[in-house]
Amino acid sequence: DALREALAAAASARAGLSAEAGLTRPRHRAALTEAATWLDEAVAAPLPELASEALRASVRALGRLTGRVGVEDVLDVVFGDFCIGK
């Protein structure tokens, strides 16, 4: 819950959005809804591998909006900064 609140606050601050900001395009709403659903899955995941896959799917949904985030970018950071799979 704290992570979600911190992410929401950071996103709002960077985008200059208020709580009342709405999405006007159905494609944007669908992508954000999908991303939020996957984040819920990640939080509830019983295994780290499942949480990782849910986070990857969430990033993919957000990437459809921004065009900036790719799975390989996330994996580069995860494997570069953490000792996973070694």
Side-chain angles (χ1 to χ4, degrees):
D1 289 334
L3 176 60
R4 280 188 201 194
E5 290 174 20
L7 289 172
S12 293
R14 292 185 111 195
L17 299 175
S18 68
E20 290 79 32
L23 298 170
T24 57
R25 297 192 175 175
R27 180 177 67 88
H28 294 170
R29 282 192 299 273
L32 289 177
T33 299
E34 181 183 349
T37 300
W38 281 114
L39 286 175
D40 289 339
E41 290 286 327
V43 170
L47 299 171
E49 296 86 355
L50 297 176
S52 174
E53 186 57 36
L55 289 173
R56 185 183 326 221
S58 181
V59 167
R60 211 171 24 243
L62 291 175
R64 285 196 299 272
L65 293 178
T66 64
R68 292 185 176 183
V69 179
V71 172
E72 294 304 318
D73 297 329
V74 173
L75 290 176
D76 287 344
V77 171
V78 169
F79 286 101
D81 293 349
F82 300 98
C83 194
I84 296 176
K86 293 183 179 179

